Amino acid sequence: MEFNNLLLEISDKIALLTINRPKQLNALNKETISELHQALEGLKNNDEVRAIIITGSGEKSFVAGADIKEFANFSVTEGTELAAQGQSSLFDYIEHYCKPVIAAVNGFALGGGLELAMSAHIRIASDNAKLGLPEVTLGLIPGYGGTQRLAQLVGKGRALEIILSAQMVSAERAHEMGLVNHLVSQAELLETARGLAAKIVRNSPKAMHSAIKCVNAGLTDGMNGYKVEIEEFGKCFGTQDFVEGTTAFLEKRKPQF
Ligand code: CO8
């Protein structure tokens, strides 16, 4: 797969997707959003890839937001469409992706950039990361799921403080409040993300997809997470992964999924 704004490397069952617009601090223009979708769609059925890491190129920024130049003259209809299209093609898409997605946040994660990191299943930040939702300074609000996912991750009070003050949160503070799972030095960021991904890729892909579905279901209006868990748990018994996992345990060997 060839992209204008993305780099894709695959090794050891891990795909590393690097958003590559360093001069614009990796701001998400429409093309980049579409390429991220295409890349992830292409990796869905690639059995050689069991986990994804998303990061930004350069030392300064993960993603500094949606590309402000692209929507500066938008109308109400165009703004609504941009948010709806982005949410379904990328942000919701990542949240419900069938393989674990880790965001390696290597600098600014602002606006759509923090929203991208929050749609991933796991976040690791380097100590230079600065995270925030500064949209109200532009007369906007977060439009890629930020009002919802930030409140889920850090609670309503903290989410509203971050959104209404438009202030950036340090990596340390983000770690304290659970916005990122791990905080490491810049030099260790990718290695830490790869280390975690290496533990993930040993596990049953089918079971991991089921677990993602259940956790998401509990946070989705109108869905009963406990009920979905019962269904998904039951389905596991019909998979080859279950046969392999339990057989390997009984034979005292490592499973080969
Ligand atoms: N969009 C477009 N270009 C950007 C963006 C962005 N979000 N962020 C940075 N850039 C560009 C700058 O314009 C600059 O380009 P140029 O050299 O051509 O002028 C280049 O990147 C470097 O940026 P700076 O010179 O500003 O670098 P600094 O180190 O001085 O500052 C900051 C870094 C603090 C990150 C600063 O660039 C900044 O404040 N950026 C904007 C941050 C922001 O407001 N992000 C939120 C954007 S809105 C958003 O994400 C909405 C999401 C929901 C949309 C839903 C659909 C409507």
Side-chain angles (χ1 to χ4, degrees), residues 21-28 60-61 63-71 74 78-84 86-87 91 108-115 132-135 137-138 140-145 168:
R21 302 182 76 212
K23 284 196 184 127
Q24 291 79 29
L25 303 184
N26 303 318
L28 291 177
K60 199 170 159 182
S61 181
V63 169
D67 193 319
I68 298 169
K69 289 168 196 129
E70 265 190 358
F71 61 72
F74 270 17
E78 288 168 313
T80 309
E81 268 167 22
L82 185 68
Q87 287 198 16
F91 297 80
F108 290 115
L110 300 175
L114 178 53
E115 292 176 299
L133 293 176
E135 283 88 343
T137 66
L138 299 165
L140 280 177
I141 62 167
Y144 287 146
M168 293 183 209

Side-chain angles (χ1 to χ4, degrees), residues 86-88 90-96 114-120 123 133 143-155 159 163 179 216 219:
Q87 287 198 16
S88 71
L90 190 61
F91 297 80
D92 289 356
Y93 180 82
I94 290 178
E95 182 163 64
H96 297 284
L114 178 53
E115 292 176 299
L116 179 66
M118 292 193 296
S119 67
R123 283 152 293 288
L133 293 176
Y144 287 146
T147 60
Q148 305 305 299
R149 291 192 184 99
L150 187 60
Q152 285 169 2
L153 286 166
V154 304
I163 293 166
L179 181 51
N216 285 339
L219 295 168

